[in-house]
Amino acid sequence: MNAPRIGLRALTGWSCWGYLVAIVAAWLLLILAGDRWWVATLLLFGPRWVLLLPLALLLPLASLIRRRHVGVLLGAALVVIGPVMGCCLGLSSGDFSAPPSRRLRVLTCNAGGPDVNAEALGTLVQVMLPDVVALQEWPAGREDEVFWGRGWHVRAGNSLCLASRHPFREVSVLQGTSLGGRGVVIRHEVDTPAGTIEFFNVHLATPREGLEAVLGSGWRGGKTLERDIAIRWHESEVVSELARTAGDSVVVAGDFNMPCESAIYRHHWSTLTDAFSAAGTGFGYSKRTRWFGARIDHVLAGRGWRCRSCRVGPDVGSDHLPVIADLEYVGD
């Protein structure tokens, strides 16, 4: 074997192992520093699929001259697809063992403002038959375009809408100084057949301003993103503390504006069960951009619930997709 080929084999081997190390480092950066350090937050909200691009060169090269390193590359790809990109393999069953009175189907969607396709959303509601619908960025006054069937109890305001087949009462509205941020949260008591549950419809602050500042001004925009991170930490601290006092039957649903890998999410929301993480299959991306998606809309449930299934719904004319979760009440 000539020297150039030996050198190429060695370079390929080192490149394969270097790629694996880089992927593991990116994963650790994501989970340890995402929403703590503004640089890592760029990765948190950026297109993580780009980490797969080196495989386009390394896989063919390793297949030709360094076959034993193909396994190293496949291992790296699994890390990207799994923990980095957040692919879930839902293990819970959609088959309910409890009677209908202990089941709750929740649909949440950021409707995207006045341009919402209310007809498409209404059709989805008629097909999926949710028990509770939580909408964010909702233009009040268009409720009849979605909830045209009988038996709905609806409340719209503060850019949020809650619709339920069971009677409910608004408990409190958090926004501005009461929330300490730019988001809005409404807490409700819903009288279900399984008992009264606390339901939080949430739309937490977006990091968009900070991300755009970095993209537009480079490192000088880092301070803006750091400020946004601090606001979002405080909002989640306030709301998650209220959710913890609401008991095991609490349900929190809406646009959290953070993926599960966020340090904010893991610190403040990990005591609740994420329906898609527990019972969803795939990436579950609910927010779409031109180049990538992100899972920032969630249905979270207290210990009194078992998540049976969770899926992302079809396009309803928003840049967010609906999230539909089936919960079974197993508490007392």
Side-chain angles (χ1 to χ4, degrees):
M1 186 178 295
N2 57 39
R5 184 171 177 82
I6 293 174
L8 182 59
R9 281 173 56 85
L11 179 61
T12 300
W14 282 107
S15 297
C16 291
W17 282 108
Y19 176 63
L20 176 60
V21 170
I23 291 303
V24 172
W27 174 31
L28 293 175
L29 181 68
L30 186 72
I31 62 173
L32 295 178
D35 268 340
R36 290 187 186 275
W37 180 35
W38 70 267
V39 175
T41 303
L42 293 177
L43 175 62
L44 185 69
F45 288 97
R48 304 178 202 172
W49 60 264
V50 299
L51 297 175
L52 292 171
L53 291 180
L55 291 175
L57 173 63
L58 292 176
L59 266 178
L61 196 58
S63 298
L64 290 173
I65 63 174
R66 204 69 172 177
R67 291 185 179 178
R68 65 179 182 176
H69 285 75
V70 169
V72 175
L73 297 176
L74 293 179
L78 288 176
V79 174
V80 176
I81 294 170
V84 174
M85 294 180 64
C87 185
C88 296
L89 300 174
L91 301 178
S92 297
S93 169
D95 298 327
F96 286 88
S97 58
S101 62
R102 298 177 75 83
R103 306 174 190 176
L104 190 75
R105 174 167 287 180
V106 177
L107 185 155
T108 183
C109 184
N110 183 319
D115 295 329
V116 59
N117 187 336
E119 181 180 356
L121 185 56
T123 299
L124 179 65
V125 168
Q126 293 299 310
V127 170
M128 298 305 302
L129 299 176
D131 299 291
V132 181
V133 178
L135 303 175
Q136 303 84 44
E137 290 194 45
W138 178 252
R142 301 188 63 182
E143 296 78 40
D144 290 343
E145 299 177 49
V146 177
F147 307 104
W148 58 70
R150 293 184 178 180
W152 284 103
H153 305 269
V154 184
R155 187 275 184 195
N158 304 91
S159 77
L160 300 181
C161 176
L162 190 81
S164 170
R165 299 187 186 275
H166 312 296
F168 67 86
R169 297 169 296 282
E170 181 184 300
V171 176
S172 60
V173 178
L174 298 173
Q175 64 180 146
T177 55
S178 63
L179 186 58
R182 298 189 295 264
V184 56
V185 176
I186 301 184
R187 181 178 183 177
H188 307 84
E189 290 180 349
V190 184
D191 296 325
T192 74
T196 300
I197 69 170
E198 297 272 3
F199 192 102
F200 289 73
N201 186 3
V202 307
H203 187 194
L204 300 181
T206 175
R208 183 182 301 114
E209 181 180 343
L211 294 172
E212 291 177 346
V214 172
L215 294 176
S217 303
W219 64 270
R220 291 187 299 275
K223 290 185 177 180
T224 303
L225 185 51
E226 287 178 349
R227 183 193 64 202
D228 283 356
I229 292 171
I231 290 172
R232 293 167 52 242
W233 269 94
H234 182 72
E235 282 190 349
S236 280
E237 180 181 8
V238 171
V239 182
S240 64
E241 181 59 32
L242 288 174
R244 276 192 289 271
T245 66
D248 291 345
S249 64
V250 66
V251 177
V252 185
D255 181 359
F256 286 69
N257 269 311
M258 66 185 79
C260 295
E261 298 81 11
S262 162
I264 301 172
Y265 185 93
R266 289 183 293 108
H267 183 82
H268 289 298
W269 298 107
S270 59
T271 56
L272 301 177
T273 300
D274 184 297
F276 194 89
S277 296
T281 300
F283 296 105
Y285 294 155
S286 57
K287 166 68 175 177
R288 302 171 300 169
T289 70
R290 181 177 300 178
W291 299 106
F292 63 98
R295 181 156 73 93
I296 61 174
D297 301 270
H298 308 284
V299 176
L300 309 183
R303 290 181 296 179
W305 298 99
R306 179 176 297 139
C307 300
R308 288 299 191 177
S309 69
C310 189
R311 76 217 79 166
V312 174
D315 186 356
V316 293
S318 171
D319 58 349
H320 290 248
L321 297 175
V323 178
I324 304 124
D326 288 320
L327 309 177
E328 175 185 331
Y329 190 65
V330 295
D332 296 332

